[in-house]
Amino acid sequence: MNTPLPPAEELALIDRELLQLDSRRKYLLARRDWLLRLLYAAGPTPSPAAAPGFAPAAGPAKDASAPSAQNVLLTLGAVLLAVAALAFTLVSWGSLGIAGRSAVLVAVTAAALAAPVPLLRRGLRSTAESVAAVGLLLTVLDAYALYAVAVPDVGPRAYAAGAAGVLAAAWAGYAAALRRLRIPLPAAVLAAQLPLPLAALAAQADPLGLAWALLVTAALDAALALRLRWAALPAAVLAAVALLTGVSESWSAASASGALGPAALLLAGAALGVAAAWREPRVWAAALVGGLAVVAALGGTARPELSPAWAVVAHLLAALPLLAAVRVHALPAPVRRGLAWAGAGTAALAALLSAAPAAAALGARVRVLAEVWAGTTPDADPYGAGAAPAVALLLTAGAAWWLSRTLSRPEPAALAAVLAWAGLFTAPVLLGLPVAAVFAAQLAVTGAAGVLALRAPARATGIAAGACALAGALNVSLGALDGRAATFAVWGLLGALGAAAAAYGPAPRWARAGAAVCAVGHATGLLVASAAVTDLAVVWWALPVLVVPAAVAAPGPRLGCVRLPAEIAAGVAGVLAVALSAGRTGTLALVLALLGVVCAGAAVRPERRVLGWAAGALFAAATWVRLAEAGVTAPEAYTLPVTLPALAVGLLRRRRDPSSSSWTAYGAGLSATLLPSLLAAWADPEWVRPLLLGLAALAVTLTGARRRLQAPLLLGGAVLAVVALHELAPYVVQVAGALPRWVPPAMAGLLLLAVGATYERRLRDARRLRDAIGRLA
């Protein structure tokens, strides 16, 4: 170029040219591919080599351009040939003489087995595979023909075993001669699975003998898998069948001597599994199966002489040494992993089986609720398992603790805490000790679990121990209801222990909170039990229970981190007091008033000011209950004298502190009259009260809207809406009854469609309304 462009413009020009070239190249390549496909579809005459710029690909020619269609055709052809050969052998065999039969079979078989050689030379591998498959099938037919003509007196199973062995060897040699074929070698391996099992069946061997044949075959497959990985699949299948047979025979043995044979089989299978994992690290699961086989062999030998519960312990004792494999560094890592998992899995299963009698023994105490303080429901083991479940749980707990120390992980320690508690807690019941001894032992175990929860070095262990302590406390408390003395002794002791644990400063906060809840709960239970001892009616039991909320509210901040959970538990006790007093309106009003006093006293503290609302609600509820008991039908005469001074006080507060909320100033005063009047109006069949209440609510709503006050606006609007609904309800019902039944669903559907169509707009309007209300005082 005579006048070169600036570098930036020239670079942009070059980039545009390159993009155009790339686009053109992609188009030409796509066009070229389409033309090649078109030429090939037209047949061999217009050869693709004639196309300009076409260069044939290097390498042998393809057998077909569509492998899927080719495979379908070849497979179908092979199947048809196989069917024809089978039909010839079974149907047309008798029309030929001996010489003719032999000549036909030999010729056809030889031709089928020899045909793949020239096919492979021409690169027709898929065709060669199909013809070879037909040849292999013909060898099976040859074996059948030989049996039918030459040796018909030999047993079919014995002949099949020998024929399978010969065919496996012949097919293996054929596969070695033609290494490019993929079918003969798998067929040889498949045939090799049959000789030993068929020979065992021919010898009329028992299930154990057949299992030995399967195991030996699996061992041969495992040895072959060192060179052919896919041979591991038949090895795994046959070994699994053999081991399952051994386990079945072991568990069905009537004596220890009868279990020795299955034990030997299982130990041989275990050796095979460990050897496989030792040789091939990726099959560590073989060591797992081997470990399980060892457990089944040793435990099965002892099983006939033991009860089912102790048989579980025997299997557990056989499995626990396998856990030590994690410390034997001379073993390969896959072997250690598999054996350790076998031991852990067996221990988990043993713990699960042992937990059923233990859980049943604990659940039996629910029967106490049918007749409290009857003294007729002793602790018992419903399964009659004895101490075996407890022993199994304790052994598993020890193993889990050892694993925690060995692996330096907290999870096994937490599991050990749970299992140890379960074993120790249920052992007195399973051993059939006297009731007093059972309570003493279980209280000690519960206390030990609580101490571990308070001082556990790991959080997981502490949480597990805390859960066990809580479960033990609940179970012992439930069992103590069988007798009065037991109730007071056990509940008093547990309450004292809970209070002491809640006051233990170094303990975690969650543990102290749980202990505080436990202490409050048992204190409440003791007060209810104390009231039950007297001749007081049930409604008066609520008065002693009110001591709990008062006692918890009195210390206040001095309770520290357990204050909130203790107050929540005390609130539950207050609800219990209300429920107990609900049978008599006078007592209910008294209880509500006393609870209001407790809440008002707690609300004096700045951090508990929210309880002032609860106090007001409780006082109002007590007043309403008392008015209802007195038969008052005009509550306004009693509520208005409270509302007017309350509103006046609220007005003065708003003048002194304009930033105070309208709910604080006017909420309580307005609620004192509006809500009781609304309840009265809802049950009033006349129109005067709803009219007056509606006018008052309208005035309050308008005042709130004009003064931009949230409390009057919302309270007045809500009351006005409810009054309007009350007045319109009869007419709505009448109109709905006059309409056809399909109209209300149709209207509801249309409404939903309309709302859905304008969903975003409605949502935006709702947000605006919320923001507008939030801006009110």
Side-chain angles (χ1 to χ4, degrees):
M1 299 177 64
N2 296 329
T3 56
L5 296 174
E9 296 182 10
E10 185 176 1
L11 181 61
L13 179 62
I14 292 173
D15 290 339
R16 287 195 296 270
E17 292 290 337
L18 290 175
L19 288 175
Q20 293 177 1
L21 290 175
D22 289 339
S23 176
R24 183 63 178 171
R25 183 175 183 275
K26 292 179 181 178
Y27 167 77
L28 292 175
L29 288 175
R31 181 71 177 176
R32 177 179 179 274
D33 292 340
W34 180 80
L35 291 174
L36 288 176
R37 290 193 298 269
L38 184 64
L39 290 172
Y40 187 85
T45 303
S47 174
F54 175 80
K62 299 293 183 180
D63 193 17
S65 62
S68 59
Q70 174 196 22
N71 293 335
V72 170
L73 294 175
L74 292 176
T75 303
L76 181 60
V79 170
L80 292 177
L81 287 176
V83 171
L86 186 62
F88 170 78
T89 303
L90 297 178
V91 178
S92 302
W93 182 258
S95 62
L96 298 176
I98 296 177
R101 300 170 186 174
S102 302
V104 170
L105 279 176
V106 171
V108 174
T109 303
L113 293 177
V117 177
L119 292 175
L120 289 174
R121 290 175 182 174
R122 294 180 177 231
L124 303 176
R125 182 175 176 178
S126 298
T127 306
E129 293 279 4
S130 300
V131 176
V134 175
L136 297 180
L137 177 61
L138 288 174
T139 58
V140 178
L141 297 178
D142 291 341
Y144 169 75
L146 180 63
Y147 171 74
V149 174
V151 287
D153 297 333
V154 179
R157 293 178 179 176
Y159 180 80
V166 172
L167 289 176
W171 292 352
Y174 186 69
L178 300 177
R179 296 181 180 273
R180 295 179 61 186
L181 295 177
R182 292 175 293 184
I183 292 179
L185 186 56
V189 174
L190 182 62
Q193 313 303 310
L194 302 176
L196 291 179
L198 289 176
L201 293 176
Q204 296 182 349
D206 57 1
L208 194 61
L210 179 60
W212 273 109
L214 294 174
L215 186 61
V216 173
T217 305
L220 297 176
D221 291 336
L224 182 61
L226 298 178
R227 300 191 61 182
L228 301 174
R229 291 183 178 177
W230 48 266
L233 178 60
V237 173
L238 294 181
V241 175
L243 292 178
L244 289 175
T245 304
V247 171
S248 176
E249 292 295 313
S250 177
W251 286 353
S252 61
S255 61
S257 59
L260 292 178
L265 174 68
L266 291 172
L267 292 176
L272 176 61
V274 172
W278 198 304
R279 182 64 178 81
E280 180 54 56
R282 286 175 295 183
V283 294
W284 65 270
L288 169 63
V289 175
L292 295 176
V294 170
V295 173
L298 299 180
T301 305
R303 182 202 57 80
E305 310 299 331
L306 301 173
S307 65
W310 284 107
V312 173
V313 177
H315 284 79
L316 178 60
L317 290 175
L320 292 181
L322 297 178
L323 295 174
V326 298
R327 298 290 298 271
V328 184
H329 297 288
L331 297 175
V335 177
R336 283 186 282 134
R337 182 182 180 186
L339 294 179
W341 274 107
T346 305
L349 181 60
L352 186 62
L353 293 175
S354 301
L362 297 180
R365 284 181 167 169
V366 178
R367 293 177 295 176
V368 175
L369 297 177
E371 194 173 0
V372 178
W373 290 353
T376 58
T377 310
D379 293 306
D381 174 15
Y383 281 85
V391 172
L393 291 172
L394 293 176
L395 288 174
T396 310
W401 178 83
W402 180 83
L403 276 178
S404 175
R405 298 292 300 272
T406 303
L407 302 178
S408 299
R409 294 191 62 85
E411 294 84 359
L415 180 61
V418 174
L419 294 174
W421 170 83
L424 294 175
F425 193 84
T426 57
V429 179
L430 297 175
L431 291 173
L433 298 181
V435 176
V438 169
F439 279 130
Q442 290 182 339
L443 285 172
V445 174
T446 302
V451 171
L452 180 60
L454 297 176
R455 307 189 63 177
R459 179 180 177 86
T461 306
I463 292 176
C468 292
L470 178 61
L474 292 176
N475 192 265
V476 175
S477 300
L478 184 63
L481 289 174
D482 193 41
R484 295 188 179 186
T487 299
F488 286 100
V490 172
W491 288 21
L493 179 59
L494 289 175
L497 291 175
Y504 184 64
R509 176 175 295 183
W510 60 266
R512 295 180 61 190
V517 171
C518 182
V520 172
H522 282 91
T524 304
L526 282 175
L527 291 173
V528 173
S530 300
V533 173
T534 64
D535 295 331
L536 294 175
V538 175
V539 294
W540 293 108
W541 295 4
L543 297 180
V545 175
L546 292 177
V547 175
V548 174
V552 173
R558 291 192 298 272
L559 292 177
C561 65
V562 302
R563 181 184 182 185
L564 181 59
E567 289 178 346
I568 293 175
V572 175
V575 174
L576 175 63
V578 173
L580 291 174
S581 62
R584 183 177 177 186
T585 54
T587 308
L588 177 60
L590 176 60
V591 169
L592 291 173
L594 293 177
L595 282 175
V597 171
V598 173
C599 292
V604 173
R605 299 186 176 94
E607 69 276 6
R608 292 293 184 266
R609 287 287 172 82
V610 68
L611 292 178
W613 287 94
L618 289 170
F619 285 138
T623 303
W624 298 341
V625 170
R626 180 64 68 181
L627 293 176
E629 182 187 20
V632 174
T633 58
E636 294 81 3
Y638 300 89
T639 58
L640 281 175
V642 177
T643 295
L644 296 178
L647 293 177
V649 172
L651 180 61
L652 293 176
R653 180 171 181 176
R654 288 274 296 175
R655 288 182 178 179
R656 294 181 180 180
D657 184 11
S659 62
S660 61
S661 171
S662 62
W663 288 99
T664 304
Y666 308 117
L670 292 174
S671 300
T673 294
L674 289 178
L675 296 182
S677 297
L678 180 61
L679 294 177
W682 191 262
D684 193 348
E686 302 296 333
W687 59 273
V688 178
R689 185 190 300 275
L691 176 61
L692 295 177
L693 180 59
L695 293 175
L698 178 61
V700 171
T701 304
L702 294 177
T703 302
R706 182 177 181 182
R707 300 290 184 181
R708 302 183 61 81
L709 298 176
Q710 190 178 105
L713 178 63
L714 294 182
L715 284 175
V719 172
L720 183 61
V722 175
V723 170
L725 178 63
H726 175 267
E727 293 303 307
L728 293 176
Y731 302 101
V732 172
V733 172
Q734 183 178 0
V735 172
L739 291 175
R741 295 187 177 182
W742 58 269
V743 172
M747 295 178 64
L750 292 175
L751 177 62
L752 291 177
L753 290 176
V755 172
T758 60
Y759 174 76
E760 295 294 337
R761 184 188 306 171
R762 300 291 176 255
L763 190 60
R764 185 169 59 251
D765 295 341
R767 292 196 186 103
R768 290 176 179 174
L769 179 60
R770 181 196 63 187
D771 296 338
I773 294 176
R775 287 191 296 268
L776 299 179

